[in-house]
Amino acid sequence: MEKLDRRTTLKLMGMGATLLAAGPRVFAQQTPTADQLVKGKNPKLLVLSQRPVVLETPYEILASEPERTSKENLYVRNNVDLPGYTTVEGASLEGWKIEVGGLVDKPFTLEAKELLALPQSEVTMVLQCSGNGRSLYTPRTSGNPWQRGGVGNVTFRGVRLKTLLESKGVKLTEKALFITAHASRQGGATQFVRSVPIQALENALLALSMNGEPLPAVHGGPVRLVFPGFFGVNNVKWVEKIEFTEAENTTAEQMPRYRVPVIPNTHLPFLPQQPGARYPYNFTNSRPNWLVNVNSFIFAPLEGQTVEGPYVRVEGVAFNDGIVPLVSVEVSANGGRTWQRAELATQEKTFGWVRWRATLLLRSGEHEVMARAWDAAGRSQPLDGNLAWNERGYEYNGVMRVRFTVA
Ligand SMILES: Nc1nc2c(c(=O)[nH]1)N[C@H]1C(S)=C(S)[C@@H](COP(=O)(O)O)O[C@H]1N2
Ligand SMILES: [Mo]
């Protein structure tokens, strides 16, 4: 450290005296609540980071909206804040432009408000940070310590990217293997870029609204490129440029961040890593957090509650990447020795979460109940979520357990 000159030293001492005189109030003021960081958010959201803004939905609040997550309660994850876009109100489309280019026959620039004149589509989908559940990994990994509240189920409406390309008569060239989306850098924001495989074009949507209202500015309004079935990170907010590319982008959000280890040339979902070990991420020994893995949550009873018995209604939600339907959710009250099938709200494939419920016969006393989902591709959740430990703590989908008391 450099030596301080006399004047600086005196100034610093003065500041210290002011802080001391102001007392603990100064320190109390230093942690803003969620609604102070993002206008219109529920003040009860947990502030994981102020800059960039990261807000987690407390579990009881998530569970209180089993159909759809409201804009007030939906988690926020910014890697890069867009100055001024810190409200749940919509943002103006006026003057917003989107460039579409790369490996297409005719690149073009679109006035975003032109989207209003094209046919609109709607999709209800799970928006989930790939770091959701991260704090359940041991040892602790790097990244925001999400519990299970980095997720929500929302309805986006807007124009399919396919529809837009067709309306402009634009065709992809054969080498277009990835869709690479760039966020606006207005106001001096640093770049945020993500690539997804070209197959994601099938359901890609330029979203203009969420839950029937203008897309909240903090959630990417006026326009966000969403990919149903893909983890949160791929759903680029404030989209400004869409490129069709031959390779994945090489910015930090694509490599080394937002990836999990894989064994090259296998179809294993992940490479079991020795918990605590480091990994030399590159494009062949790892894959991006793309498709959402099978997961389920128990919304009732909640941890620590006392409920009436002996028949106890257990309920929650389950989801996967929407490519195949979920086939069952099973519930166990004896540590996984036996499982009972829950009833699913739908047998159809969907990008949204699916509600489930079961009635268990339980005697008075303390219980621990677990739930796990299965889909039509035979995919499920590990009893020990730590099997997928990876140093950045992504894609946790270990079976959830709740402890409660039957009166
Ligand atoms: N432009 C932009 N898009 C972004 C991000 C970002 O920082 N900037 N964060 C991503 C991540 S990591 C997640 S989990 C989701 C969170 O979406 P939400 O804030 O609307 O809940 O947005 C994704 N899209
Ligand atoms: Mo995320």
Side-chain angles (χ1 to χ4, degrees):
M1 244 221 200
E2 275 173 61
K3 254 186 149 175
L4 297 175
D5 63 40
R6 209 178 105 81
R7 260 179 54 208
T8 316
T9 313
L10 283 173
K11 240 167 66 195
L12 286 175
M13 283 170 62
M15 272 167 60
T18 314
L19 283 177
L20 280 176
R25 267 176 304 131
V26 170
F27 299 100
Q29 279 168 7
Q30 282 175 352
T31 309
T33 51
D35 56 318
Q36 289 170 327
L37 292 166
V38 179
K39 196 163 150 265
K41 281 289 172 189
N42 184 338
K44 293 200 179 105
L45 298 196
L46 309 166
V47 179
L48 300 192
S49 162
Q50 294 177 40
R51 281 187 75 172
V53 178
V54 184
L55 308 176
E56 171 161 6
T57 313
Y59 197 77
E60 327 75 76
I61 293 179
L62 186 75
S64 74
E65 295 179 323
E67 281 297 335
R68 221 164 50 171
T69 311
S70 62
K71 64 178 179 187
E72 292 80 11
N73 290 335
L74 182 63
Y75 82 99
V76 174
R77 194 324 181 205
N78 281 354
N79 283 273
V80 178
D81 290 320
L82 191 63
Y85 289 67
T86 48
T87 169
V88 300
E89 301 297 316
S92 173
L93 272 172
E94 206 49 56
W96 195 277
K97 291 188 174 56
I98 303 172
E99 226 183 290
V100 179
L103 303 172
V104 293
D105 56 357
K106 285 184 292 179
F108 62 96
T109 299
L110 173 86
E111 287 284 345
K113 62 183 175 196
E114 290 176 49
L115 291 170
L116 297 171
L118 293 173
Q120 309 285 307
S121 310
E122 201 171 272
V123 63
T124 295
M125 60 178 258
V126 171
L127 185 68
Q128 183 185 218
C129 184
S130 41
N132 195 32
R134 173 182 283 139
S135 61
L136 297 157
Y137 281 121
T138 44
R140 202 196 153 111
T141 68
S142 63
N144 293 296
W146 295 103
Q147 296 166 57
R148 292 194 197 250
V151 63
N153 194 48
V154 289
T155 302
F156 288 114
R157 189 179 168 81
V159 176
R160 287 169 158 274
L161 182 53
K162 257 181 146 178
T163 305
L164 172 64
L165 295 176
E166 279 161 17
S167 80
K168 296 276 179 187
V170 168
K171 298 219 161 41
L172 305 185
T173 68
E174 262 173 37
K175 285 186 170 168
L177 296 179
F178 296 91
I179 307 173
T180 298
H182 301 246
S184 168
R185 304 192 57 180
Q186 72 180 54
T190 53
Q191 63 180 355
F192 181 86
V193 190
R194 266 301 274 192
S195 301
V196 296
I198 196 68
Q199 288 82 353
L201 181 57
E202 197 53 37
N203 299 299
L205 186 76
L206 285 156
L208 302 166
S209 86
M210 190 179 93
N211 298 349
E213 289 183 90
L215 179 59
V218 72
H219 294 298
V223 52
R224 177 176 196 167
L225 183 55
V226 297
F227 295 103
F230 283 71
F231 274 112
V233 64
N234 305 291
N235 299 275
V236 175
K237 309 196 260 191
W238 315 298
V239 68
E240 184 182 75
K241 186 161 122 191
I242 302 168
E243 271 185 297
F244 292 88
T245 55
E246 198 174 356
E248 286 179 56
N249 191 264
T250 57
T251 55
E253 272 75 31
Q254 194 79 18
M255 165 62 71
R257 300 181 63 212
Y258 294 105
R259 303 183 82 85
V260 290
V262 290
I263 303 171
N265 305 318
T266 72
H267 294 279
L268 295 178
F270 58 84
L271 170 63
Q273 232 194 306
Q274 197 57 33
R278 302 302 303 271
Y279 192 77
Y281 288 85
N282 63 43
F283 280 104
T284 43
N285 71 9
S286 67
R287 62 160 175 83
N289 299 143
W290 278 335
L291 294 173
V292 171
N293 50 4
V294 178
N295 216 336
S296 60
F297 301 120
I298 300 168
F299 280 174
L302 291 171
E303 180 78 20
Q305 279 183 337
T306 298
V307 296
E308 291 301 317
Y311 293 101
V312 177
R313 166 67 61 84
V314 180
E315 55 187 56
V317 294
F319 53 90
N320 66 349
D321 52 22
I323 288 176
V324 294
L326 291 174
V327 290
S328 70
V329 169
E330 301 174 317
V331 180
S332 174
N334 55 20
R337 282 193 295 279
T338 60
W339 296 84
Q340 178 180 325
R341 259 182 123 149
E343 191 191 321
L344 285 180
T346 176
Q347 301 288 335
E348 310 272 293
K349 63 180 186 177
T350 166
F351 297 111
W353 69 32
V354 175
R355 295 184 69 173
W356 56 264
R357 59 182 192 190
T359 303
L360 297 181
L361 179 56
L362 300 173
R363 57 184 139 67
S364 300
E366 287 189 15
H367 293 273
E368 183 180 79
V369 164
M370 318 196 284
R372 71 175 175 202
W374 292 88
D375 77 5
R379 300 175 296 184
S380 187
Q381 307 175 239
L383 285 181
D384 175 8
N386 218 45
L387 277 174
W389 190 96
N390 58 97
E391 70 189 81
R392 289 183 167 78
Y394 294 129
E395 301 192 6
Y396 186 91
N397 73 337
V399 164
M400 183 172 172
R401 295 155 197 265
V402 228
R403 274 162 303 167
F404 57 88
T405 305
V406 175

